[in-house]
Amino acid sequence: MGVGGAVAAGVAGGAEGRAAGEASAASDRGRALLRGAERTGCVWRQLPKDCPPWPTVYWYFSRWHDDGTVERFHDALRDRVRGADGRNPEPSAGLTGSQSVRTADTLPAAIRGFDAGKKVKGRKRFIVTDTLGRLLAVHVVAANIQDRDGARRPLLWTRLDHQGVKKIWADQGFAIRLVDWTAQVLISELGIAREDPGQRDFQVKPKRWAIERTYSWLTAHRRLAPNYETIPARPGPRP
């Protein structure tokens, strides 16, 4: 179950007519459910008893996902985080990367692939973040898609939705052809953060650590490591 599903649980409960005097306690329970559901990845039919019936919760989640409500929540929260850090709500630079993750064996083979470089059979997540590691765009594809091809769509979405972003940093797997495509099509700059020639051990890359932290945030949640979702665009399991 994704964040949107857990949030829908709390609001759907209010929509079912809870008494006003219980609002504070319900809010506390909702936050607890949000943390628990997000980390354990419970399926819809196993929602805790404090939630309304799962078809009601799933209806709200599906409706909010499809009409863009969940995305608007996310964008508003990201802007507040940037403001609290003393940043302009609209970013001027970003980071991009990819992560290959294995998928559940129950998923159809047609929506999975094999990443020969990382020896992973499953899917590949392409993300674009601001320099704080907060998401700007996400694209999920089969793991056999090359970085230079899979990154084009989230880079395009970022260019359309955040026109102030003029430069995006990537690692060496995105070099050459994607750099040229970004300059010619998006009229933006794709910077490549390269390792020092003499590097022998692990070193934090100045322009790359934030997006690696974002991937660690994602894989801390069971529903995302490995990937269980039949429909990648919807971050919650089907009923």
Side-chain angles (χ1 to χ4, degrees):
M1 177 179 176
V3 174
V7 172
V11 177
E16 294 295 325
R18 293 188 176 185
E22 299 176 351
S24 178
S27 177
D28 292 340
R29 289 198 301 271
R31 283 192 289 270
L33 289 171
L34 173 62
R35 289 191 295 269
E38 183 66 14
R39 289 193 172 276
T40 62
C42 69
V43 297
W44 294 109
R45 285 181 170 84
Q46 295 177 353
L47 285 177
K49 63 181 181 180
D50 287 358
C51 291
W54 75 262
T56 301
V57 178
Y58 185 74
W59 183 88
Y60 273 95
F61 169 71
S62 300
R63 181 181 179 184
W64 289 358
H65 176 275
D66 294 343
D67 69 11
T69 300
V70 173
E71 186 174 350
R72 289 193 293 273
F73 280 158
H74 171 270
D75 292 347
L77 291 172
R78 183 192 60 233
D79 293 348
R80 292 187 63 178
V81 169
R82 290 184 57 83
D85 196 60
R87 310 287 185 101
N88 189 313
E90 186 62 28
S92 59
L95 310 166
T96 189
S98 67
Q99 180 190 48
S100 295
V101 294
R102 65 187 182 88
T103 55
D105 294 336
T106 55
L107 296 185
I111 59 176
R112 295 184 288 165
F114 182 70
D115 183 341
K118 297 180 181 178
K119 304 296 188 291
V120 172
K121 184 177 182 179
R123 287 181 175 149
K124 185 177 288 188
R125 301 171 183 146
F126 290 90
I127 65 175
V128 180
T129 74
D130 63 9
T131 53
L132 297 178
R134 310 297 174 175
L135 290 172
L136 301 178
V138 180
H139 186 41
V140 182
V141 297
N144 60 302
I145 302 298
Q146 296 294 320
D147 285 354
R148 62 178 179 268
D149 299 322
R152 293 188 178 189
R153 187 168 295 183
L155 287 175
L156 175 60
W157 291 338
T158 301
R159 185 71 177 92
L160 295 174
D161 295 338
H162 305 278
Q163 298 184 14
V165 176
K166 299 298 183 183
K167 185 167 185 176
I168 296 178
W169 293 92
D171 63 22
Q172 297 176 89
F174 294 81
I176 308 176
R177 287 201 297 179
L178 189 61
V179 174
D180 296 337
W181 179 86
T182 303
Q184 295 170 7
V185 177
L186 304 183
I187 319 299
S188 300
E189 181 181 356
L190 186 68
I192 304 300
R194 301 183 183 277
E195 296 180 355
D196 294 331
Q199 181 177 332
R200 292 291 181 269
D201 53 4
F202 173 77
Q203 294 181 12
V204 175
K205 296 181 181 179
K207 298 294 184 181
R208 292 286 306 163
W209 68 270
I211 196 170
E212 298 300 339
R213 182 183 61 178
T214 301
Y215 277 123
S216 71
W217 287 338
L218 294 176
T219 53
H221 300 276
R222 188 181 71 85
R223 265 335 277 195
L224 299 177
N227 189 284
Y228 293 85
E229 319 306 342
T230 302
I231 304 176
R234 179 165 289 177
R238 294 191 63 80

